[in-house]
Amino acid sequence: TIGDVPLIWYRRECLCYNIFCHVQIPVFLVELNMKYFTPEELMCSHCKASGMDQQFMEKIVDLRERLAFPFPVTSGYRCPEHPIEARKSSAGAHSSGKAIDIQVSGEQAYTLIQAAISSGFTGIGINQKGNNRFIHLDTIENSSSRPRPWVWSY
């Protein structure tokens, strides 16, 4: 246990070597269906708050299992004070807990985009330039300020 949090052994993907290994993770992460992700990669990089939406994460895990390749997260939840969110006129998809940026490029990026569209993700942002290549996925609803479904490039 860590404090009062029980731990269990779980078979988890090791992103470093693209293999499976056994690690101890908190039971609540398995219950939240977040077996492919660590709390650290999903929390706000500004304040370390957690805020990912459970239904959104189930959709991401389903997509991850279907595609069978790693989803390294470059951005998960962002608090409203996060520097990127603070520049916006209204809170973005990340601050709702219904958005994630996945580091991916090439054929895997193409495959991810196809699968995300067929899985009903409503927002897809594409950055495939330079060294920081990622795909943004979200499930926020259509609004006048953020029309959905929508695909954009950075």
Side-chain angles (χ1 to χ4, degrees):
T1 62
I2 299 176
D4 295 332
V5 178
L7 298 175
I8 62 169
W9 283 100
Y10 200 82
R11 185 174 182 249
R12 186 175 192 282
E13 187 169 16
C14 176
L15 295 177
C16 301
Y17 300 104
N18 202 20
I19 60 170
F20 285 91
C21 56
H22 288 87
V23 296
Q24 282 191 310
I25 62 173
V27 171
F28 73 89
L29 287 181
V30 175
E31 292 166 356
L32 290 177
N33 200 8
M34 292 171 40
K35 61 187 175 186
Y36 298 106
F37 306 98
T38 65
E40 292 78 18
E41 66 184 333
L42 296 172
M43 67 179 51
C44 178
S45 62
H46 175 70
C47 70
K48 307 302 181 207
S50 298
M52 295 304 292
D53 179 82
Q54 175 60 30
Q55 288 179 321
F56 176 80
M57 286 308 302
E58 288 172 3
K59 198 171 182 85
I60 289 291
V61 167
D62 288 345
L63 186 63
R64 164 64 186 83
E65 288 180 342
R66 194 168 103 205
L67 297 182
F69 58 76
F71 281 16
V73 176
T74 60
S75 187
Y77 175 73
R78 293 184 197 147
C79 72
E81 292 79 32
H82 186 285
I84 293 173
E85 297 300 315
R87 291 191 302 258
K88 299 176 181 178
S89 59
S90 64
H94 284 274
S95 63
S96 72
K98 296 178 180 181
I100 196 167
D101 295 345
I102 300 166
Q103 182 182 1
V104 64
S105 63
E107 184 179 349
Q108 288 183 342
Y110 182 82
T111 303
L112 177 59
I113 292 165
Q114 284 183 313
I117 291 169
S118 70
S119 297
F121 285 87
T122 57
I124 301 174
I126 302 167
N127 181 1
Q128 292 294 293
K129 305 177 291 212
N131 295 329
N132 188 23
R133 295 171 187 237
F134 67 91
I135 302 295
H136 165 100
L137 300 176
D138 72 53
T139 58
I140 64 171
E141 294 183 15
N142 185 40
S143 70
S144 59
S145 62
R146 288 196 175 82
R148 293 294 190 267
W150 204 258
V151 176
W152 65 93
S153 64
Y154 294 93

